[in-house]
Amino acid sequence: MQQPPPPQQQQPPGSAVAATSSQGAQGTHNAEEIARGMRRSGKDMDIVMRKVASAEDSWTSITKQKEHAIEHLLQAQQRFEEKDKQLIDLKARYEEACKRLEERKQARDDVQKALNEATKGLNSLVAKTKEQSRNSAYWLKEISGNHTTAELAAQRGYSCSKYGTSPRVHTQQLDSTAPLGSARRPLGAAGAAAASGGGLGTATSLPSVQ
């Protein structure tokens, strides 16, 4: 069974007006609070939006700097590779130049050695030529003097030399192969050998007169 609703209490006539007035004041206060909250929320939103915009700008700037740094790094790496290739080429050329320099130094040493040997041989040849020239001049003077002396002795019929008085001796000496004796070389071939050995060289180096 349903129970009947409780009886409503009757309020006095003045209390209804007071309650309505109180509710209106409270509603106005709540509206002002809401408005102030909305304004604060708007300001906070503006601050947040400004921070977001600033962060976006910073991110964009950092991204551009990163791209620029990467591009610069790639260019630097390309230049480094080019310089590395140039360095390798220069090293190869330097080694080749050093090799050619060593070869030229060796060739120079060989040429210098050959030149020294040729100079030594030339000096020896010049010395032998001077010796031969002195020997030739000696024998020319000696033989010419001996022939002249022998011819004069044959014409006179006697010799003025203390080593012989017969012209036949001089004639025999002219026909012989040994050098003739004279006042410069009284011992004949032995005197010539002694003179050559003392000042003009050994006797074996003197030519024989045919």
Side-chain angles (χ1 to χ4, degrees):
M1 293 180 65
Q2 295 182 354
Q3 295 180 2
Q8 294 181 357
Q9 296 179 1
Q10 294 182 357
Q11 295 179 356
S15 61
V17 175
T20 302
S21 176
S22 175
Q23 290 178 358
Q26 186 176 2
T28 303
H29 178 72
N30 292 335
E32 291 178 356
E33 289 293 333
I34 293 172
R36 284 195 295 271
M38 293 180 65
R39 286 194 295 270
R40 286 195 299 268
S41 298
K43 291 180 180 180
D44 295 338
M45 185 61 66
D46 291 339
I47 293 172
V48 171
M49 293 302 295
R50 284 196 296 269
K51 290 182 178 180
V52 170
S54 178
E56 290 179 354
D57 294 339
S58 300
W59 176 256
T60 303
S61 177
I62 292 172
T63 303
K64 290 182 179 179
Q65 291 178 3
K66 181 180 178 181
E67 293 176 354
H68 181 71
I70 293 174
E71 183 179 0
H72 182 71
L73 178 62
L74 293 176
Q75 293 177 356
Q77 186 175 2
Q78 184 178 1
R79 290 196 298 269
F80 176 78
E81 292 176 356
E82 293 176 356
K83 295 297 181 182
D84 188 55
K85 291 180 180 179
Q86 294 178 2
L87 180 61
I88 294 174
D89 183 64
L90 289 175
K91 284 184 177 179
R93 293 170 60 183
Y94 173 76
E95 293 176 356
E96 183 66 21
C98 290
K99 183 179 179 181
R100 290 198 301 267
L101 180 61
E102 291 298 328
E103 292 176 354
R104 291 182 180 181
K105 285 183 178 180
Q106 184 64 35
R108 181 202 61 187
D109 295 339
D110 295 340
V111 171
Q112 186 66 37
K113 183 178 179 180
L115 180 61
N116 293 336
E117 294 178 354
T119 302
K120 184 178 179 180
L122 181 61
N123 292 335
S124 177
L125 179 61
V126 170
K128 290 180 180 179
T129 303
K130 288 181 179 181
E131 181 181 359
Q132 186 69 28
S133 177
R134 287 194 297 266
N135 293 336
S136 299
Y138 170 79
W139 285 114
L140 177 62
K141 184 176 181 180
E142 188 69 24
I143 294 171
S144 297
N146 291 341
H147 277 277
T148 302
T149 302
E151 290 177 355
L152 292 175
Q155 291 177 3
R156 288 193 301 268
Y158 63 92
S159 175
C160 298
S161 175
K162 64 180 180 179
Y163 297 103
T165 58
S166 175
R168 289 179 297 177
V169 177
H170 298 282
T171 303
Q172 293 175 358
Q173 289 179 348
L174 288 173
D175 295 334
S176 66
T177 57
L180 301 176
S182 66
R184 295 183 302 275
R185 187 177 45 82
L187 301 180
S196 299
L200 298 176
T202 60
T204 57
S205 64
L206 299 177
S208 61
V209 178
Q210 300 295 335

